[in-house]
Amino acid sequence: MAATDTIQVFVPLKLRKKNGRPKILPPTDYLPSEDQTQDPHILRAIGRAWAWRRRMEAGEFGTVRDLAIAVNLAERHVSRQLRLAYLAPEVLKRLAYKRDAVAVTEINLSNCAALPWADQAGLVFGEAE
C-alpha cells in the first residue's frame, strides 16, 4: 500500500461514559461466545490504538516515545498496542460482531498485525488455509 492510500473500516460501536470514563459498547446484535472466555478488554485496546494512531498521524506526537510519555505508559507497551490499529478489516469485524475468537489475546493480535491482511484471520481464529 502506498503511503497516501487510506482504508477506512466502520464498526458501529457506541461510546458511553461510566464513572466519567468512556466505555465502548458492542453492537446491539452482538452475540457473546458460549464459553464467555474472550478477554473483554480487546475492543477497548483496539479503540485506544486507533485513537493513538490518529493522534500520531495528526502530528501531535513525532515518535512512539513521545506518545508513551504523554500517556504515561512504557514505550514498549504503547508500541505493541499501537499495532492493533493495523489489524485487517475482517479481523476487526469478527471481533466486534461475532466475538468468536475464544483464546485471542492482545499480544497475539499485536503480533499478527504485522502480517498481510489476507493471513491475519487464519492465524487469529485458528483457521487452516
Side-chain angles (χ1 to χ4, degrees):
M1 230 167 71
T4 57
D5 291 344
T6 302
I7 293 177
Q8 294 182 343
V9 177
F10 296 99
V11 179
L13 300 175
K14 292 184 180 179
L15 286 174
R16 145 184 130 191
K17 290 209 174 191
K18 183 175 183 178
N19 299 327
R21 299 181 76 192
K23 181 177 180 176
I24 296 175
L25 300 175
T28 55
D29 60 347
Y30 151 75
L31 297 172
S33 61
E34 290 179 16
D35 57 12
Q36 301 289 315
T37 58
Q38 185 177 15
D39 183 353
H41 299 84
I42 288 177
L43 287 178
R44 188 176 72 194
I46 292 170
R48 184 172 38 246
W50 273 91
W52 290 347
R53 177 182 172 177
R54 280 193 296 273
R55 291 174 75 182
M56 291 204 56
E57 288 174 348
E60 190 174 336
F61 303 104
T63 65
V64 173
R65 186 176 200 281
D66 294 340
L67 173 61
I69 291 168
V71 296
N72 198 30
L73 293 170
E75 182 178 353
R76 183 175 181 189
H77 174 77
V78 171
S79 177
R80 182 176 43 236
Q81 201 166 67
L82 191 56
R83 289 183 230 153
L84 297 175
Y86 297 92
L87 288 169
E90 178 63 22
V91 172
L92 293 173
K93 182 175 134 186
R94 288 178 66 176
L95 287 171
Y97 282 105
K98 298 180 184 177
R99 295 283 185 110
D100 59 352
V102 177
V104 172
T105 66
E106 286 182 43
I107 291 174
N108 290 344
L109 286 173
S110 176
N111 290 337
C112 91
L115 297 174
W117 280 0
D119 299 337
Q120 287 182 15
L123 181 65
V124 171
F125 302 106
E127 299 164 351
E129 293 285 319

